[in-house]
Amino acid sequence: MSKTILNLKDLTIKFGGVTALNNVNLELKEGEILALIGPNGAGKTTVFNLITGVYKPTSGNVFLGDVAIDGKKRHHITKLGIARTFQNIRLFGDMTTLENVITGTDVRNKVGLIGSMFGTPRSRREEKASVAKAHEILKFIGIDEYADRLAKNLPYGVQRRLEIARALGTEPKILLLDEPAAGFNPQEKVELAATIKKIRDAGYTILLIEHDMSLIMGISDRVAVLDFGQKIADDLPSVVQNNPQVIAAYLGVPEDAS
Amino acid sequence: MRLELKDLHVHYGKIEAIKGISVVVNQGEIVTLIGANGAGKTTTLKTISGLRKVSSGQILFDGQDISTVPAHERVDLGISQAPEGRGIFPGMTVLENLEMGKFNRKDRKSEMDEDLDKVYTLFPRLKERASQAGGTLSGGEQQMLAIGRALMARPKVLLLDEPSMGLAPQMIANIFRIITEINKTGVTILLVEQNAQQALQRAHRAYILETGNVVKEAKASDLLNDPAVREAYLGTGAH
Amino acid sequence: MFDTLIHQFWSLTFSGIALGFIYVLIAMGYTMVYGVLRMINFANSEIFMVGAFATVMVSKYVFKLSNDAIPPSSFKLFFVILCCLLASMLASALLAFLVELVAYRHLRNRTTNRIAPLISAIGIGIVISEIVRILTGARTQFSPNIIPKKALATFQGAEIRLDNTITIIAGLILFIILDRFIKYSRLGKGIRAVSMDEDSAKLMGVNLNRVISLTFIIGGLMTGAAGFFYVNVYENVKFNMGFSLGLAAFTAAVIGGIGNIRGAFFGGISLGLVEIYASAIIGTQWKPVTVFIILVLILLFKPNGIFGEAVQKTRV
Amino acid sequence: MINLRDKGAEFWERSNRPVRVLTVFAILAVVAALPYAGNTFLQTPVAAFDAVLVYPMGMFILMALGLNVVVGKSGMLDLGYVAFFAVGAYTMAILGTRTGLNTWEIMPIGIAAAMFAGVLLAIPTLRLRGDYLAIVTLGFGEIVRVTALNSEGIGGALGIAGIPFPPGLGFEYQLLDQKYFYWTILVMIVLVIWVIRRLTVRRPGRAWESIRQDEDAAELMGVSTYKYKIWAFVFGAAIGGGAGVFYASRSMVIAPDNFTLNTSILILACVVFGGMGNIWGVIVGATILGYLPDRFRFLSDARLLLFGLVLVVFMNLRPEGILPRKKREKAIVKKGSGASI
C-alpha cells in the first residue's frame, strides 16, 4: 500500500448557519487518481477550497504528509505542493499561453525584484529554465502550438487544458482538477482522460471533481461520493457505481410514498 | 401559451454555451431539461428570462419573438423564474420577498391577498415565517419562497432552475409534489434538474442536453427507464 | 490643551451634532450609490459643492439677500429657506443623475473592470469643480446670512443657535423620510432588492437602469440638502470645498458600514462630534488628518463598519 | 483605429540587432536635440520651451512611468501619487538647505524616504479592496500636503526656498537655459524605462500582471500577492520620490501648494490617456498632455478641466488609451484549425 499523501481529518465548515461540510474524512494515496463526485451543492468545490486554503475549516484539519496546512496562506500551500484548476476558467487572459505557465513555475523561482532588476546571472538562469520548463509542460499537455497566443483568445478546450498546464507549472505533488471536462464533447473527453492518466503516470497524485461518469469510471482508482456535505461512499469505481445510496443521490429516490 | 426556442445560440464571451437548441413548451405541460453540469441547462433558462443575451436564434412566446425584450419586461409578459441558488432577498422579510414578485403588477389589494393566500396554501411554512428575514430561512424554505415569489406575478410559464439543489430527500419529494400541484392550477412549467428521477416522474416531456446541444427529446415516462439517461449520469457499467 | 473642550463642552456638542447631520446627508450620497452599485461615487463631493453654490446663488440673486440688509421676517424667512433648500436639492439631484449617465451607465454594461468607473467618476468630478473654478475665478464666494445665528436658548451656559437647530431638525426629518421611503415604498423596495441580488431583482420586473438612476437622484437630493445647511452654518463656498467634506462624509458612511443608511446616520453624528472635540484639543488645521486616521483605522479593523452586516435589514 | 503599438512591435521584431541599436540611438538623438527646436512651431507662448520640456513634460513622463507600474501593471488605483513626489521634494529641500549634501547625494535619500512612505501606506491599505484603496490613497495624498502646510518647522504654507541646483558635472545647471536639466531628466527617464522593461518581462512583471487580471487565481498559483503589491507600490513611490528630489532642486523653492490632489489626477490622466499598462503609451500620453496646455494659451487655464475630460472620455470610449497594452500575438501554425481543441 502506498503512503497517504493528503489527509482530510474530520473536516467541518459552516457558512452562517449552514453546514457545508460535515465531518468529512478523506485520504489521498500517493500516485492515485481519486474522483470526488456528488450532486450539485454537495460540497465538492468547498473541499478544494479547504485544501487550497481559500477557506479555513470550522473544525478538523488538512494534512499534507505530516504537516497540517489548514490556516496557511494560499500561496504558501501552493509552494508546499498543491495546485488546482478552476471550474469556471480563471486564466490570465492578457498573458500568452506560455506566460500563464511560467507564472505557475515562478513559485519555484527564488529571484526577487532586485535580482530581476539587475539581471543577475541567477535571474537569467531561472528565466531561461522557466521558459524551457513551460514549453515542456505545454508539449506534455499537447498545446505547445498555442504557446504565443493570448489566453483569452484560445479555444475553450485549449483554455481548459491550459488551466491544467499552469497548475503543473507549479510542480505540485498533488493536482486538484475541478471539472476539467465540463463543456467537452465525448471525443474531447476521451482525449482528456488520456491526458489525466498520462499526468498520473508521470508521478503526480490527482484529486478530481467531475460529473461525467464514463470519464470517472475509466480513469479513477477510487471514487468518493459527497452528498449534503457528507461522505456517503468511498470505494472502487465499480462498487460505488452500484451503491444504492449513490444512485439515489444522483438520480433521486423513486418516490413510493405518493 | 406556447414557448418555443428556435435554433438558439448563446455565448459567454467567446465561448459558445448553447449551440443551437430548439425546445417547445406547450400550454399546461411540465417540460424538463436534464443533463450533466455544463450542459447548458441553466444558461437556457437564463436566456429565456432575459438574464443572458441571445447570440442568434429566436425565443417565441405566444408566437412573438421576445429575444430582445429586456428581462424586467418579460415578467410582465408572464414569464417568471425561480433562479438557481434561489436568489431570494436575504435582508427582506418573507412577506416583502413575496410582494417583490408583484413588483410591476398594479393589482388591487384584494388580488394581492388572494395571491398571497394561494402561495400560503401551497407553502404553509411561509405564512408561519412571514415576518422573518429571508436570509434566516432553511434551504428548503428558501426554495419555497423562491417558487412562491415567482408565482405572485401570476405567470403563464414558470421556469424552475434546480429546485432540488442542496435539499434533503424529504424536502425534495415535497417540492416536487408542489410543482405538480402548481401545474394542475394551469401554470406551464419548464424545469431544469439534475435529479433526473424526480424530474422525469413529474414531467410530461423531457429534453436531454449535452454540451449545449439537445441530444434527445422524448416523453418523460419513456426516458424514466432509459439506460441512456442512467448512463448520462452514472456512466456505462451501471446496472 | 483640554481647557477649551471642558469649558465649551456643550456648545461644541451642539455644533458637532449639527456638523454631524451635514455629514449624514452627504454620506447618503455615498451609501445609496454604494448599496446598489458596490462602487464609490467619487463625484459626490462635487455634487455637494454644486448644491452649496445653488443656495448661495438663489439667496443672493433671487432673493437679493445680503448681510447689510435686514434679515427676512419669519414667514418670508421660511419661504426663503424652503426655496434655497429645494434649489440645492434639485441642483444636486440633477447633477447626480447626469453623473450616473455620463460616468457610470455606459461602463457598467460594458466592462467588468472595476477601476474604469472609478476613474471615469473622478474625471467627471474634476470637470465639475474646474468649471466652477473657472466661473468663479477660484475665489471664495461669501454667502448672505439666511438663517440668523441667534440663540434660541442656553443650556449649561451653551447657546442653542437657530441655524444649528434648524440643521438638526431638518436633517432628522429628511433622514426619517428617506429611511421610510427605502423601507416601505415600492421603489424603495426595488432599490433594496437590487442591492441584495441584481439578477433576482430583474426577474421580479425591476428596471435596473431606472433604479440606479433613482438611487443617484435620491443621493443627490440628500447631498444637496447638506450643501444648503453647510452654507447656513459656514457662510462661504469655494470650488474645492467638496474634497474635505466628501472625505469626511465617506468616512462617516464607512464608520457605520457603507451601504447601510442607518449606519451612515450613526457614523455621521459620531464623526461630527469626534471632529469638533478633536479640533478643540489639537486645533482645526489638523481636522483632515484626524478624519483620515479614523478612516484608515476603521477600514483596517472594522471594514464592514461598526454595525457590519448585523443590521442588514436596513441595508439600502 | 490602427493599433500603433502593434505596428511598432512588428517593426521591432522584424529588425535585427544593429537596426534596433540604430533606431534607439536615432530616437534618442532626436529627443535630445529638442531644446534646440525652441524657435519653431513647437514654441510655447507662456513659459520658455526648454523649461516646458523639463516641467511639465519630462516630470510628467517620469511620474507617469512610476504610476503606471501601480495602476497599469498591477491594477491598483492610487490617487495619492503626489504624496511620494512631495516626500522626495521635501527631503531635497530640507537636506539641501540645511546640510552640505548636494542633489546627487540627496537623491538616494529622497528615494528611500519616498519608499518608506510607500511601505507605510501600503502595509495597512493594500489588503483593502480596490475602491477603498482608491479613496485611502486619495486621502493620503491630501494628508501629506496638509501636514506640510501645518508644520512650521518645514516652512508651513510658505514652504522652503533657496534649494540649491544640482552641482554641475563639467557644465553648470542654469535657470535661463534648462537644456542640462532636460538632458538629466532624459537620462533618468531612460534609466527608469530600462529598469521597468527588465522587471516586466521577468518574474515581478508576471506577478503584477497576474494580480491585475485575477488576484485570487494568482494567489492560488503561488504568487505572494500581498508582497508583490507592496513592491509595485514601493517601486512606484521610488520613482515619484526621485522625481520629487529633482523637481525641488530645479525649482529652488517648493511649497505645499505644489503638491495638491491635482498633480495626482494629472499624472493619472497621462497614464489613462496613453494606455494603462503600456510604457510607450504612457510616455506618449504624458508628452502630449504635458505639452498641450503650454502650447495653446487657452488650454493653460483649463488644463485640469481638459485632463478631467480625458479621464471621462477615454474610460468610456477608448479605455485602452492611445496605445493599448499587448494585443498582438505572434503568428502561429495552427493545426486542425476550426476544431474546438
Side-chain angles (χ1 to χ4, degrees), chain D:
Chain D
M1 194 163 163
I2 42 163
N3 188 334
L4 288 173
R5 190 200 183 276
D6 286 359
K7 291 255 182 271
E10 208 176 302
F11 167 77
W12 194 250
E13 246 153 51
R14 271 193 281 109
S15 317
N16 51 20
R17 198 176 173 88
V19 178
R20 289 182 186 183
V21 172
L22 263 172
T23 317
V24 170
F25 275 102
I27 292 174
L28 274 179
V30 170
V31 172
L34 277 178
Y36 299 105
N39 290 322
T40 65
F41 69 99
L42 291 172
Q43 183 60 279
T44 43
V46 185
F49 182 66
D50 53 333
V52 170
L53 282 177
V54 181
Y55 185 93
M57 290 171 72
M59 297 305 278
F60 275 20
I61 293 173
L62 196 56
M63 288 202 280
L65 283 170
L67 184 62
N68 182 46
V69 172
V70 185
V71 179
K73 296 276 180 207
S74 317
M76 299 180 285
L77 187 51
D78 177 359
L79 297 173
Y81 193 60
V82 70
F84 308 122
F85 184 58
V87 169
Y90 265 94
T91 310
M92 174 67 213
I94 295 166
L95 296 180
T97 53
R98 294 182 196 173
T99 68
L101 296 174
N102 71 35
T103 308
W104 310 126
E105 288 157 350
I106 295 169
M107 183 64 82
I109 305 173
I111 291 175
M115 288 170 85
F116 180 70
V119 174
L120 219 58
L121 178 63
I123 284 179
T125 52
L126 287 188
R127 291 193 194 277
L128 299 176
R129 288 211 329 263
D131 37 4
Y132 283 177
L133 178 71
I135 205 151
V136 169
T137 49
L138 181 78
F140 181 72
E142 195 62 5
I143 290 319
V144 167
R145 186 185 68 84
V146 169
T147 308
L149 193 66
N150 294 327
S151 304
E152 293 308 322
I154 51 171
L158 294 176
I160 300 174
I163 308 163
F165 272 171
L169 311 155
F171 53 84
E172 281 303 312
Y173 285 100
Q174 293 162 14
L175 188 59
L176 291 178
D177 180 3
Q178 301 211 353
K179 60 176 178 291
Y180 294 112
F181 280 111
Y182 172 67
W183 286 332
T184 312
I185 202 163
L186 206 57
V187 171
M188 287 171 79
I189 291 170
V190 170
L191 258 173
V192 165
I193 293 173
W194 183 66
V195 170
I196 291 179
R197 268 183 62 86
R198 284 211 138 174
L199 288 180
T200 49
V201 299
R202 294 200 163 101
R203 189 181 176 198
R206 286 189 294 270
W208 291 335
E209 267 291 312
S210 66
I211 290 168
R212 180 181 66 80
Q213 294 179 38
D214 188 337
E215 191 172 335
D216 287 327
E219 176 80 21
L220 283 163
M221 286 306 126
V223 177
S224 175
T225 53
Y226 185 52
K227 187 175 96 184
Y228 274 101
K229 277 160 72 176
I230 291 183
W231 265 126
F233 219 74
V234 170
F235 183 73
I239 297 174
V245 170
F246 186 75
Y247 173 80
S249 180
R250 187 206 72 129
S251 309
M252 297 189 295
V253 51
I254 57 164
D257 273 359
N258 301 128
F259 309 103
T260 60
L261 166 70
N262 296 353
T263 309
S264 298
I265 302 295
L266 294 176
I267 305 303
L268 179 68
C270 294
V271 173
V272 168
F273 179 61
M276 279 193 273
N278 175 358
I279 47 178
W280 307 117
V282 164
I283 291 170
V284 173
T287 307
I288 297 176
L289 290 188
Y291 175 68
L292 281 187
D294 274 295
R295 174 69 182 82
F296 301 104
R297 210 182 278 270
F298 68 94
L299 282 179
S300 54
D301 188 43
R303 182 189 307 237
L304 204 56
L305 180 67
L306 169 79
F307 284 31
L309 280 173
V310 162
L311 289 179
V312 184
V313 171
F314 267 76
M315 270 302 112
N316 280 281
L317 301 181
R318 197 177 160 85
E320 67 274 30
I322 322 180
L323 293 186
R325 69 175 83 241
K326 179 165 63 189
K327 272 255 177 72
R328 222 175 62 93
E329 304 170 317
K330 286 176 198 154
I332 57 143
V333 195
K334 203 161 143 200
K335 275 185 275 177
S337 59
S340 63
I341 202 166

Side-chain angles (χ1 to χ4, degrees), chain C residues 34 38 40 102 106-107 110 114-116 122-124 126-127 130 133 243 250 258 285-286 288 292 299-300, chain D residues 75 79 124 128-129 131-132 135-136 139-140 142-143 150 261 265 301 304-305 308-309 311-312 315-316 319:
Chain C
Y34 194 89
R38 298 285 182 278
I40 300 170
V102 177
H106 176 70
L107 282 171
R110 227 177 63 139
R114 289 187 60 89
I115 283 193
I122 295 259
I124 196 119
I126 298 284
V127 169
E130 277 303 286
R133 180 182 69 84
F243 184 88
F250 177 79
I258 192 161
Q285 72 271 29
W286 294 106
F292 178 72
L299 286 178
L300 277 185
Chain D
L79 297 173
L128 299 176
R129 288 211 329 263
D131 37 4
Y132 283 177
I135 205 151
V136 169
F140 181 72
E142 195 62 5
I143 290 319
N150 294 327
L261 166 70
I265 302 295
D301 188 43
L304 204 56
L305 180 67
L309 280 173
L311 289 179
V312 184
M315 270 302 112
N316 280 281

Side-chain angles (χ1 to χ4, degrees), chain A residues 62-135:
Chain A
V62 180
F63 291 97
L64 177 65
D66 302 324
V67 193
I69 59 167
D70 45 278
K72 282 205 192 326
K73 291 212 172 71
R74 292 170 295 174
H75 65 91
H76 191 60
I77 292 175
T78 310
K79 196 162 185 180
L80 289 173
I82 298 178
R84 69 179 283 179
T85 65
F86 299 93
Q87 188 179 337
N88 43 339
I89 298 171
R90 294 181 74 170
L91 294 168
F92 306 123
D94 285 339
M95 289 188 193
T96 64
T97 302
L98 189 70
E99 285 168 337
N100 265 281
V101 182
I102 299 177
T103 307
T105 67
D106 274 337
V107 72
R108 301 289 158 216
N109 287 341
K110 303 224 158 40
V111 69
L113 197 84
I114 307 296
S116 303
M117 200 188 301
F118 292 109
T120 55
R122 181 164 80 172
S123 97
R124 266 176 283 165
R125 210 166 46 234
E126 279 187 357
E127 284 291 326
K128 231 176 168 176
S130 285
V131 174
K133 191 160 92 185
H135 271 301

Side-chain angles (χ1 to χ4, degrees), chain C residues 65-135:
Chain C
L65 296 189
S66 79
N67 283 342
D68 311 326
I70 312 147
S73 61
S74 57
F75 176 73
K76 177 143 186 245
L77 175 65
F78 178 75
F79 183 67
V80 172
I81 292 176
L82 199 65
C83 287
C84 290
L85 179 61
L86 281 179
S88 285
M89 290 175 78
L90 291 177
S92 291
L94 179 69
L95 187 61
F97 171 74
L98 291 176
V99 164
E100 196 269 327
L101 274 191
V102 177
Y104 287 93
R105 175 158 301 180
H106 176 70
L107 282 171
R108 201 177 63 238
N109 301 327
R110 227 177 63 139
T111 168
T112 51
N113 177 352
R114 289 187 60 89
I115 283 193
L118 296 187
I119 294 179
S120 145
I122 295 259
I124 196 119
I126 298 284
V127 169
I128 297 168
S129 77
E130 277 303 286
I131 290 175
V132 174
R133 180 182 69 84
I134 292 167
L135 290 179

Side-chain angles (χ1 to χ4, degrees), chain C residues 254-255 257 297-308:
Chain C
V254 170
I255 290 176
L297 290 180
I298 293 279
L299 286 178
L300 277 185
F301 297 108
K302 274 269 177 202
N304 288 330
I306 306 275
F307 291 144

